[in-house]
């Protein structure tokens, strides 16, 4: 791999920035400072100029939601306005303090959306500029894991599926069916996360009901379930859910 194509990874954990670069791993604790100020102190172990930089943000720093676009909302301006409305309504965040983004490919279907602190985004951009890196992307832990793992998912069409990740003491879970997002939630947990996962899935299933193709479950009167892909914790999902262990991306 040439110097110009080598990739550098920078991740914001709950309490530190971690850089994986040509000279090895460097960790810079926040120590009560804001992430931007802490990142200015981080000194790479080797030269980064000309390298590609990918930034990941721990889910504790982010806000997620599933956006269901109303009929008649068309074009980038209308979508951005509705996205801002939903984040303000659900999480109480918005511009200029937060940067909002949603799945650009989901026009008629519900979209997974994320909000990141603008100061953190600016800090990552400034780090790339100072060290001569090409910033290729900034994404959250959950979105990164989903994009890496999605090709390995093997649930049968017509059942619900969920990805549940526990990292840095935070559980983030997203549920979908037939390629359509049903919900997403992220919360701090004090145990292994299994109890919180069960509560999330049970609440979503009460709201969503059995999938239209789950005729066999409806006839037998069994509880609707699905497949949960889990990483970072032990424990069992609710009854009728099958657990499949996956690995968190590096």
């Amino acid at each position: 791999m040439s110097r110009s194509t080598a990739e550098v990874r920078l991740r914001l954990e709950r309490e530190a920035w971690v850089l994986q670069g040509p000279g090895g791993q460097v960790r810079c604790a926040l120590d009560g400072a804001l992430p931007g100020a802490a990142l200015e102190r981080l000194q790479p172990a080797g030269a980064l100029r000309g390298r590609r930089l990918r930034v990941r943000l721990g889910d504790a720093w982010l806000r997620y939601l599933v956006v269901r676009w109303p009929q008649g909302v068309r074009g980038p301006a209308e979508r951005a306005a509705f996205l801002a409305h939903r984040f303000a309504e659900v999480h109480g965040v918005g511009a200029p303090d937060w940067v909002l983004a949603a799945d650009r490919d989901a026009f008629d279907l519900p979209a997974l959306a994320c909000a990141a602190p603008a100061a953190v985004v600016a800090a990552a951009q400034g780090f790339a500029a100072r060290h001569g890196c090409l910033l290729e992307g900034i994404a959250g832990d959950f979105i990164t894991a989903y994009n890496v793992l999605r090709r390995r998912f093997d649930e049968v069409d017509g059942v619900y599926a969920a990805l549940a990740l526990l990292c840095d003491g935070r559980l983030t879970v997203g549920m979908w069916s037939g390629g359509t997002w049903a919900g997403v939630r992220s919360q701090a947990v004090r145990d292994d996360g299994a109890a919180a996962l069960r509560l999330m899935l049970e609440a979503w299933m009460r709201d969503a009901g059995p999938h239209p193709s789950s005729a066999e479950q409806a006839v037998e009167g069994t509880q609707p379930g699905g497949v949960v892909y889990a990483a970072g914790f032990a424990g069992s999902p609710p009854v009728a859910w099958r657990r499949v262990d996956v690995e968190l991306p590096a």
Side-chain angles (χ1 to χ4, degrees):
M1 180 177 291
S2 69
R3 175 185 176 87
S4 61
T5 59
E7 184 174 278
V8 177
R9 298 192 300 272
L10 176 66
R11 180 173 182 269
L12 177 58
E13 297 180 348
R14 183 173 53 182
E15 298 178 349
W17 287 97
V18 179
L19 177 71
Q20 188 68 46
Q25 186 179 98
V26 178
R27 187 175 188 274
C28 181
L30 300 186
D31 290 333
L34 295 175
L39 188 55
E40 290 181 358
R41 301 197 308 265
L42 192 153
Q43 295 299 320
L48 305 183
R49 183 164 298 278
R51 298 179 184 269
R52 296 177 293 116
L53 174 67
R54 290 192 177 274
V55 179
R56 276 174 49 191
L57 306 179
D59 290 330
W61 296 96
L62 306 175
R63 303 291 184 269
Y64 289 109
L65 57 79
V66 170
V67 182
R68 294 170 176 82
W69 305 108
Q71 290 185 351
V73 172
R74 293 290 185 270
E78 291 184 358
R79 287 166 62 88
F82 184 75
L83 185 66
H85 164 72
R86 287 295 292 147
F87 269 107
E89 184 178 52
V90 176
H91 292 297
V93 302
D97 296 327
W98 293 77
V99 177
L100 314 181
D103 184 358
R104 291 175 293 182
D105 295 329
F107 288 98
D108 298 318
L109 298 175
L112 182 62
C114 179
V120 172
V121 173
Q125 294 170 334
F127 179 87
R130 286 195 302 276
H131 295 282
C133 299
L134 175 61
L135 181 58
E136 291 207 331
I138 302 175
D141 277 346
F142 180 81
I143 292 175
T144 298
Y146 177 80
N147 288 333
V148 170
L149 297 170
R150 61 190 302 179
R151 295 180 181 177
R152 307 177 199 174
F153 297 160
D154 63 351
E155 74 272 4
V156 177
D157 289 342
V159 302
Y160 286 104
L163 176 62
L165 307 177
L166 180 62
C167 188
D168 291 343
R170 192 168 192 87
L171 177 69
T172 305
V173 184
M175 189 176 83
W176 66 89
S177 178
T180 301
W181 287 101
V184 63
R185 184 172 178 181
S186 183
Q187 69 181 60
V189 295
R190 295 183 178 180
D191 51 21
D192 67 357
L197 170 63
R198 287 193 292 270
L199 290 175
M200 289 183 194
L201 295 179
E202 289 168 355
W204 280 328
M205 295 305 292
R206 283 195 301 269
D207 293 339
H211 194 279
S213 65
S214 302
E216 183 177 343
Q217 289 179 325
V219 171
E220 296 180 354
T222 58
Q223 180 180 352
V227 180
V228 57
Y229 305 98
F233 65 101
S236 302
V239 175
W241 282 81
R242 175 171 63 93
R243 174 176 173 142
V244 175
D245 290 319
V246 295
E247 293 185 3
L248 286 169

